[in-house]
Amino acid sequence: MDQISFPDGFVWGAATAAFQVEGSTTADGRTDSIWDAFCRLPGAIVGGHTGEPAADHYNRVEQDVKLMVDLGLQAYRFSIAWPRVRPDGGAANQAGLDFYGRLVDTLLANGIKPWVTLYHWDLPQALEDKGGWAERDTAYRFADYATTVVESLGDRVTSWTTLNEPWCSSFLGYAAGVHAPGRREPEAAVAAVHHLLLGHGLATSAIRAVQSDAEVGITLNLYPVFPADPESAADVDAARRLDGMQNRMFLDPVLRGEYPADVVEDFTPYKFIENVRDGDLEIISTPLDMLGVNYYSEHNVSTVSDGLVPLRNGRRQSGSPWVGLDQLSFPTRNLPRTDMDWEVQPDGLTKVLRRLHDEYPRLPLYITENGAAYPDAVNGDGGVHDPDRLGFIESHLRAAHNAIAAGVDLRGYFCWSLLDNFEWAEGYAKRFGIVHVDYDTQVRTPKASARWYAKVTRENALVATGGL
């Protein structure tokens, strides 16, 4: 394998999310999030799993930071649990803030930059009981929460992400119902899109009001979208609509100060525009310092049904996340697939990065999530050999480097995920970590991909696998 070097100062990191790794869901004053409540719904989560124990990160910070040091990480992207620091969306909880203060201090003492995400899907259930993200007031409560966190950590944290993947929060949570809060209400979903973005803009200003030198961004999950049959007008239009919902509905208001007119029209039956008030788009497009990109695969879209029914294997009935497009399929292209049944398509990452560079106002870009689930196990030799994951990361780093060579201002890469963890609706059935977690003993075992990634981070270059 040819060695490929990355630019000087390129940031190498790994990422997690609070509900997926922390556990301790009732410790030190934490109250329910929408995910705690969702886990109690019969059939919502594979195996009936919950956020306990997750990877017990709440009690194992020092151990996990030592792992990060061993992996040569320069930055750790983690999220704050809203119901831990402002339980029920109410007053600040010092015990919860103190936990994140200890985590930040431990990272800094070990030369690792904390990279904080304020919202990775764990809305306090008490706010959902008042309507959740479908209600405008939640955006203002989010800004209040952001102020609390930055007042507590802003003397030590400089890199802030407001929202992680608002597409998932809105369309998976409020339209498809496969993520918390489990609602299947298209009007609520499109309202949630706007209120999430409004919350992002309000929080951006709230962060800067406390910390004038803060670096603020948002993280979006972006996918190239293609019609399965370019000669089919129906497939072409479906691809346009999916690209609108997945990509442009978030990029355009944040970076251009406007919603895409075609998607607004598509959402007319769902009263989207009624949620938008004078001045909202100016708030949403408050200038940013960076943009986070989460990339996993592409969407190859057909309007020919694949015949699959939403209810399978005892799982809870689900709807479609694609508001207004209920009959869709994503035909296979005979590509390798991960354990999530997602196609492995590294070239799509280059396409996403180049699209941002070519079509939108330019910001420093960071790949804030990229990784793959595979069915790993500890072998008889005590190791975890995961050549598929190693190959996935290596091929996507090559794709990222291709974008850099084309002039894209890409400044860092965060592998998803540092640890095996609670994979949302899939419970503990899917393993994304470069470090294996035995959920019974909480023993951590770095996988072959982790050992290889440690060489990459230290050399700032892709390196030979050396038989890993």
Side-chain angles (χ1 to χ4, degrees), residues 393-450:
I393 297 172
E394 187 269 336
S395 64
H396 284 76
L397 286 176
R398 286 185 173 273
H401 193 275
N402 289 341
I404 293 172
V408 174
D409 186 10
L410 180 65
R411 300 190 184 184
Y413 176 92
F414 291 79
C415 177
W416 185 270
S417 173
L418 174 67
L419 302 167
D420 287 337
N421 54 49
F422 177 87
E423 181 47 40
W424 307 115
E426 299 297 330
Y428 298 103
K430 307 296 182 184
R431 292 182 177 270
F432 272 90
I434 57 173
V435 175
H436 181 277
V437 176
D438 183 316
Y439 297 116
D440 293 326
T441 65
Q442 292 297 330
V443 168
R444 275 89 159 116
T445 304
K447 303 175 186 179
S449 59

Side-chain angles (χ1 to χ4, degrees), residues 5 16 25 69 97 115 132 135 157 166 183 228 255 264 273 301 309 312 329 343 368 377 414-415 420 432 450 462:
S5 297
T16 65
T25 55
V69 172
L97 291 166
W115 198 288
E135 291 296 323
V157 175
R183 292 163 63 177
L255 299 181
V264 172
I273 203 65
V301 183
V309 295
R312 288 175 286 165
S329 62
E343 289 183 336
T368 40
F414 291 79
C415 177
D420 287 337
F432 272 90
L462 296 189

Side-chain angles (χ1 to χ4, degrees), residues 34-50 125 173 177-184 314-317 425:
I34 54 176
W35 275 93
D36 295 283
F38 189 62
C39 287
R40 298 185 192 114
L41 294 178
I45 311 295
V46 168
H49 297 154
T50 72
Q125 179 60 35
V178 295
H179 277 192
R183 292 163 63 177
R184 297 188 293 276
R315 293 292 297 279
R316 184 172 177 271
Q317 182 79 27

Side-chain angles (χ1 to χ4, degrees), residues 45-82:
I45 311 295
V46 168
H49 297 154
T50 72
E52 291 287 359
D56 196 31
H57 182 61
Y58 192 77
N59 297 308
R60 297 172 185 268
V61 164
E62 291 188 2
Q63 176 186 359
D64 289 340
V65 173
K66 183 180 184 302
L67 272 173
M68 298 176 210
V69 172
D70 292 344
L71 295 178
L73 299 186
Q74 299 161 3
Y76 173 48
R77 178 177 178 253
F78 63 96
S79 74
I80 307 288
W82 188 344

Side-chain angles (χ1 to χ4, degrees), residues 71-268:
L71 295 178
L73 299 186
Q74 299 161 3
Y76 173 48
R77 178 177 178 253
F78 63 96
S79 74
I80 307 288
W82 188 344
R84 200 180 289 287
V85 303
R86 292 195 68 155
D88 294 332
N93 173 34
Q94 193 59 48
L97 291 166
D98 288 346
F99 165 71
Y100 293 107
R102 290 192 299 273
L103 171 57
V104 167
D105 289 344
T106 305
L107 291 167
L108 292 173
N110 286 276
I112 298 172
K113 182 176 182 176
W115 198 288
V116 173
T117 298
L118 289 170
Y119 188 71
H120 201 131
W121 309 352
D122 45 6
L123 180 72
Q125 179 60 35
L127 294 182
E128 175 57 32
D129 291 341
K130 297 178 181 179
W133 287 110
E135 291 296 323
R136 184 179 180 89
D137 186 64
T138 303
Y140 294 90
R141 303 291 72 76
F142 179 62
D144 293 342
Y145 153 68
T147 297
T148 296
V149 174
V150 180
E151 286 178 344
S152 178
L153 302 178
D155 59 332
R156 289 156 287 170
V157 175
T158 57
S159 294
W160 302 92
T161 298
T162 55
L163 305 176
N164 180 79
E165 298 185 350
W167 181 87
C168 295
S169 298
S170 52
F171 290 114
L172 293 183
Y174 289 86
V178 295
H179 277 192
R183 292 163 63 177
R184 297 188 293 276
E185 304 166 31
E187 284 190 18
V190 301
V193 169
H194 181 65
H195 297 146
L196 281 156
L197 293 177
L198 179 63
H200 152 75
L202 292 167
T204 299
S205 295
I207 293 167
R208 293 206 179 109
V210 177
Q211 185 186 22
S212 59
D213 62 345
E215 299 173 311
V216 186
I218 187 173
T219 282
L220 304 176
N221 53 322
L222 303 174
Y223 293 70
V225 182
F226 304 101
D229 180 2
E231 302 301 316
S232 163
D235 283 10
V236 169
D237 190 59
R240 175 197 63 79
R241 293 181 67 151
L242 260 70
D243 178 60
M245 277 184 268
Q246 179 77 63
N247 301 315
R248 294 181 287 118
M249 198 62 180
F250 300 94
L251 288 168
D252 286 18
V254 169
L255 299 181
R256 293 176 175 164
E258 60 186 16
Y259 283 113
D262 63 315
V263 185
V264 172
E265 184 176 354
D266 292 339
F267 285 167
T268 298

